[in-house]
Amino acid sequence: MNEQLRLLRELQDVDLQLKAIEADKERYPLEMKNLDEKLASEKEMSKKKKERIELLERERRQKEGDLELEQERIKRAQSKLYDVKTNKEYQALLTEIETLKEVRSQREIEILEIMDEIDELKKEYREVEKALLEMEERIGEEKKQLEESIGKAGGALTSKKRKRTMITKKLSPELMGLYQTLKEKRRTAVVPARFGACQGCNVRIPPQMFNEVQRNEAIIVCPSCNRILYWEDSIDYR
Ligand SMILES: [Zn+2]
């Protein structure tokens, strides 16, 4: 194969690899950010549960305090029963005690309900905490791998760029210019000719020219799209 043609193909391969590495390098920080956000939202959920538990605990203590006072009030009213003089007073006091007892039992129900909710929330909280720990471990591992990939991509980028420089030094400035123009305008600069047509634009190549392309001995450009043509059968994988 024509040396310049071989170099052009190599250059295109290196450029494709560079593009892939650069895309990876852009993607990695986003992936890192995603992982951090996932962890942060899980932490937020756990924090909210904990805050809710604390709030309910405070509410429970408050209600237990109320219950004690109500208990005292009942005792006081009960002790007054021995001192009352009239039946009317006695009846009134009994009614008062009944009302106080109703309030007390309502309070007890409220406390039990809060305790149930606290139990439920604590169970959920333990599960969330467990999931969080697992997630932290997993995300830590993923981040480590990502950092390794970032490091590797950096190394690969340097070595591919070095290779690119070596190739471009050997290419003639005219071909280099043509390659750059084609790359910018048409993305691919070097394409195979197959079934008598340019694989870049699918336009048929005149038979005489196609014969020449098949020899891979000269730089031949597609008459339609101007891309540099080569013949596939002699792919050189160096
Ligand atoms: Zn073409």
Side-chain angles (χ1 to χ4, degrees), residues 198 201 222 225:
C198 162
C201 67
C222 169
C225 69

Side-chain angles (χ1 to χ4, degrees), residues 22-222:
E22 268 156 7
D24 281 346
K25 273 192 86 178
E26 270 178 40
R27 208 183 64 237
Y28 292 147
L30 294 179
E31 281 180 17
M32 198 71 103
K33 198 170 150 250
N34 275 343
L35 290 176
D36 284 337
E37 278 171 4
K38 238 161 81 179
L39 195 60
S41 97
E42 193 75 11
K43 275 184 181 164
E44 186 59 29
M45 212 168 89
S46 151
K47 197 179 137 215
K48 282 209 172 110
K49 283 222 187 298
K50 199 173 178 211
E51 281 168 358
R52 174 86 184 133
I53 292 170
E54 283 162 2
L55 179 83
L56 287 172
E57 296 276 17
R58 278 199 299 279
E59 223 174 281
R60 194 193 70 178
R61 282 194 296 276
Q62 172 77 42
K63 284 186 189 294
E64 278 168 351
D66 291 347
L67 185 65
E68 263 176 52
L69 291 177
E70 281 146 17
Q71 191 72 32
E72 279 302 310
R73 227 170 278 155
I74 290 169
K75 266 192 204 163
R76 268 204 309 277
Q78 278 170 337
S79 65
K80 271 196 249 165
L81 279 175
Y82 304 102
D83 305 328
V84 293
K85 305 284 183 281
T86 68
N87 191 44
K88 201 180 162 197
E89 274 178 322
Y90 190 78
Q91 284 308 323
L93 205 49
L94 276 184
T95 310
E96 194 195 328
I97 290 168
E98 267 325 293
T99 311
L100 284 171
K101 279 184 175 170
E102 267 169 41
V103 170
R104 181 182 65 182
S105 70
Q106 187 52 43
R107 192 74 63 213
E108 282 168 348
I109 290 170
E110 284 169 11
I111 291 170
L112 284 175
E113 278 172 357
I114 289 177
M115 283 165 79
D116 277 349
E117 200 182 340
I118 289 174
D119 278 350
E120 197 55 44
L121 274 168
K122 276 187 173 167
K123 214 192 294 168
E124 283 173 27
Y125 179 69
R126 277 196 296 274
E127 275 160 25
V128 169
E129 280 292 280
K130 199 173 151 230
L132 187 62
L133 271 177
E134 282 166 7
M135 193 188 236
E136 262 174 332
E137 203 172 308
R138 203 178 60 240
I139 283 181
E141 196 53 48
E142 280 177 50
K143 281 175 82 168
K144 216 172 85 189
Q145 277 174 9
L146 219 72
E147 265 154 22
E148 267 172 39
S149 302
I150 291 170
K152 274 186 197 157
L157 203 63
T158 311
S159 83
K160 293 287 170 196
K161 276 184 179 162
R162 201 176 299 140
K163 189 172 177 192
R164 190 180 199 278
T165 311
M166 269 162 56
I167 296 169
T168 55
K169 271 183 194 159
K170 292 183 202 159
L171 267 172
S172 79
E174 293 77 23
L175 282 178
M176 197 55 224
L178 176 62
Y179 174 87
Q180 275 307 127
T181 311
L182 285 167
K183 194 182 147 196
E184 277 153 33
K185 276 196 194 157
R186 308 208 188 273
R187 286 197 306 170
T188 48
V190 197
V191 295
R194 211 182 293 156
F195 313 118
C198 162
Q199 294 304 298
C201 67
N202 280 318
V203 171
R204 292 201 74 77
I205 301 160
Q208 178 58 36
M209 186 185 265
F210 188 62
N211 284 340
E212 275 183 60
V213 171
Q214 278 179 296
R215 285 203 290 272
N216 275 336
E217 279 167 7
I219 302 295
I220 299 161
V221 299
C222 169

